[in-house]
Every structure is written in structure tokens, then in C-alpha cells.
Amino acid sequence: MTLLVTGATGFVMSVLARTWLDRDPLARVVVLDRAGLDAMAERYFAPVRDRLTVVTADIRDRNAWEAALDSHDIRYVVHGATVTPISRGSAAEANRQPEAEDPARIVDVNLMGTVHMLEWLRTRPLIQRLVFVSSGSVYRHHGPDWTGEPLPEDGYVAPLTLYGISKFAAEMVVNRYADLFGLSAASVRLASVYGPMDRATGSRNFLHVPNRIAHMALAGEAIRPNSLEPVGDYVTSTDVADAIIALLLADRLRYRHYNIGSGETSTIGDIVGWARERAPHLQVEVSPAESANIVQDVSLKDGMWGAYDISRIALDTGWRPRCARQSFHDYMDWIIENEHESEEK
């Protein structure tokens, strides 16, 4: 089976591509991405490189990639190519507005890039299913009818940023194309993702709290959060990959939108505690925001920063995320085995 993954030289989509190839020795992946494989991605894909084809082209330029894709027997598509213009986490970055630096590109890539992919896909009848990778940024921080329960897919959708707006608009376009052309398609709204292959790239410059704490702990750096109370629904890239593949291969999809998250919240204090289990000498000092190296808003505890309701995907596929603590420890192990070893070579 051949899977097309757009944006798979980056973070989550690279893990999805590798997971697809690891599950079946006969499976193949075609990657469409503006960037080629960097050194980290080359190492990551090395064991399966003979079954991976990389088409280097801009998603917005259909003429540059259409013929290359048509030369492969593609049956499934995951559209994850995106621009994520977010920068937050330290006092120096707190007042930056990265989306103001090139707002038209955000909308062009995230929305119109999706339209170009749908235009190609709708005339390829052999393709069995499309999964569009959206984001929890389509939700607001707080809803007017908030009850404290996990955030459902039909909850308070009202994106505040160009990234969230473009993602939600693309979801609606995917839905309409599915209706018009009889496509089997669904969108996944990801909670805060970290894990293997999490790194800054040309299209993504934001690293979630578990990533930063794991790297600081392993490097012996002191962690200075502005508070231990802020929460998030943090899920690993490996869990997200398994969830998307489960949706691709499900016999039937009952919904158009699916949350993918851990289904629960973890505080910064929780994550620091898990890090200390592997790095007992870790130094942690709650600091004022101006001197903190991890800055989170203590008021954001629900909506897109709260727990995500994952009952839909559990119902349709049986997928469930792994234990949050174990997932974090597994990621620290992955950093040691992959990132640290590569630095020594």
C-alpha cells in the first residue's frame, strides 16, 4: 500500500511516514514537501529509505508535483503540509507576533495548499481515504458554555490566529469536497504534540513544554518556569501516528472531525516530576516571567489548553493513547538514543 504524506520531512508527519513503513515491509510512502530531508530525517528514515520517495516541491505549485505523484500507485493521503507561525515559551519571545511577519503565506499554504491537494485527489478514483491534519487551535481558550468536561469536536470552535483560522477554513473545504465528489475524508484536530522528531524547522518554530523540559533535564540545565500550575493535553508524535493510521484503515468513519490527544491534562509540575525520575539532580526554580525560561499562561486551563475528548476515535478505531508518564519517559529515551548519539558521531 502506498501512502502520500505531505509535509513529511518535518515533525509529526515524518513519524507517521516511518510508522506506516514499519508496520508493513511491502508498504511504501511518497513524501511531498517543500524541504528535502535534513540530516536528522535522513538518519531517521535510513532503515526504510528504499521504500520512501521524496518529491521536493511547493504544495501551492501543482504543476511541480502532479506528474511525480501520478507515477506512484497512491491509495491513501495524509495532508499535513502546513506553516505553524507560533513562537512562545520565554520572556524574550512573549511579545512576538510571528504571524504578522508573513500573514499571506500562512493562509496560502494552509488553506490554498489544501485546495490544490483536493483538486488533484478528486480526479484519482483509486485513492481510498484522505486525512487532513488540522489543529486544536481551531478551538478557543474558553467557551461560553464551558462545563469543565473534555473538549468535544462540536465544542466551541472560534480560532483566534491566522493559523487556526486557516486550519478551520481548510477543514470546511475538505468537508465540502467530500460531499461534492464522494470522497472518504476526515480531519484530525491535534492537541499539543511532542515526541520523536520534534524540532524547529522552516515551517514550525514552536516546541511544546514536554520537549523543552526533556531536553533541559538531559542537558543538565536548570528549569525556570513562571509557574508549575499551567496545563496542557500533551500527546506524543508516535501516538498521533498510530491514531491517524487507525483512521486511514478504519472500515467506516462516522464523523468528519476527530480529536487526537491524551484525553487528560498534565501540569508543568507533573512533567518536571517525570523528568526528575530520569534526571534526579534536575534543578527547578519557579521564577518571575521576565527571567523564566518556560513561560505559560496560568489562566489557560480549559478549551484548547484543557483535556480533549477522544471518544470519537476510540469508538471508530479502538485507538487509545499511552500513559502520559510512560510516553514522556519513552521520549527521553529516544532523545538519548537518537539525538545524543548523532551529536557524538
Side-chain angles (χ1 to χ4, degrees):
M1 293 186 295
T2 300
L3 168 68
L4 167 64
V5 186
T6 67
T9 68
F11 170 32
V12 180
M13 295 299 98
S14 64
V15 178
L16 168 69
R18 175 65 190 271
T19 303
W20 179 269
L21 293 171
D22 285 342
R23 287 165 64 102
D24 181 352
L26 300 179
R28 302 189 67 86
V29 168
V30 177
V31 170
L32 172 59
D33 204 313
R34 184 178 62 88
L37 300 180
D38 61 16
M40 187 173 179
E42 286 284 8
R43 290 191 301 271
Y44 183 65
F45 284 118
V48 293
R49 191 64 177 84
D50 60 326
R51 293 184 286 127
L52 181 78
T53 300
V54 179
V55 177
T56 306
D58 194 313
I59 190 68
R60 298 170 292 180
D61 185 3
R62 185 173 166 186
N63 292 331
W65 48 261
E66 183 172 25
L69 298 192
D70 285 340
S71 67
H72 299 273
D73 184 24
I74 295 169
R75 300 302 177 95
Y76 299 91
V77 177
V78 176
H79 178 46
T82 191
V83 175
T84 311
I86 304 169
S87 184
R88 183 170 58 246
S90 68
E93 299 172 328
N95 295 319
R96 280 193 65 212
Q97 292 288 344
E99 66 178 347
E101 296 167 8
D102 195 353
R105 178 172 177 253
I106 300 167
V107 177
D108 202 18
V109 172
N110 295 355
L111 177 56
M112 294 311 300
T114 303
V115 172
H116 291 307
M117 179 52 54
L118 287 165
E119 278 293 294
W120 172 81
L121 186 150
R122 73 180 178 88
T123 58
R124 273 66 183 179
L126 294 180
I127 293 177
Q128 298 178 34
R129 183 163 291 156
L130 162 71
V131 171
F132 170 64
V133 182
S134 187
S135 166
S137 64
V138 304
Y139 299 120
R140 284 203 67 169
H141 298 319
H142 307 287
D145 54 352
W146 187 249
T147 63
E149 298 299 318
L151 183 67
E153 289 86 345
D154 54 0
Y156 193 42
V157 175
L160 298 174
T161 63
L162 284 177
Y163 176 69
I165 291 166
S166 62
K167 282 294 190 180
F168 184 61
E171 287 183 11
M172 297 300 100
V173 173
V174 168
N175 291 350
R176 189 57 184 152
Y177 267 71
D179 289 337
L180 288 172
F181 305 110
L183 307 177
S184 177
S187 298
V188 291
R189 295 170 178 170
L190 307 184
S192 299
V193 188
Y194 76 101
M197 296 300 287
D198 190 357
R199 67 205 191 281
T201 67
S203 296
R204 179 178 180 273
N205 60 4
F206 178 62
L207 305 177
H208 281 295
V209 167
N211 171 296
R212 287 179 279 148
I213 290 178
H215 279 87
M216 288 179 183
L218 291 172
E221 297 179 23
I223 297 174
R224 301 189 308 278
N226 64 313
S227 172
L228 296 176
E229 296 179 0
V231 303
D233 185 325
Y234 300 108
V235 61
T236 62
S237 52
T238 47
D239 276 341
V240 171
D242 287 340
I244 292 176
I245 291 173
L247 288 169
L248 285 173
L249 302 180
D251 292 335
R252 175 192 175 201
L253 299 182
R254 306 168 206 234
Y255 306 99
R256 288 284 175 82
H257 309 104
Y258 293 85
N259 284 338
I260 297 179
S262 69
E264 61 185 17
T265 56
S266 300
T267 67
I268 291 179
D270 292 332
I271 299 166
V272 165
W274 301 335
R276 270 204 173 115
E277 293 176 11
R278 294 297 179 86
H281 301 294
L282 177 64
Q283 296 181 13
V284 180
E285 180 181 351
V286 176
S287 305
E290 56 270 17
S291 61
N293 54 18
I294 294 180
V295 179
Q296 297 288 97
D297 189 335
V298 297
S299 70
L300 301 181
K301 297 181 181 297
D302 53 36
M304 67 176 287
W305 288 105
Y308 283 48
D309 186 337
I310 54 175
S311 57
R312 282 187 180 180
I313 188 171
L315 176 66
D316 278 4
T317 71
W319 173 86
R320 296 291 302 181
R322 292 170 299 146
C323 163
R325 172 177 170 272
Q326 185 59 54
S327 293
F328 182 78
H329 286 165
D330 289 346
Y331 178 48
M332 293 186 76
D333 292 341
W334 189 89
I335 293 171
I336 294 169
E337 294 170 8
N338 292 273
E339 297 184 18
H340 286 189
E341 285 183 5
S342 66
E343 292 170 0
E344 295 170 358
K345 292 180 180 179

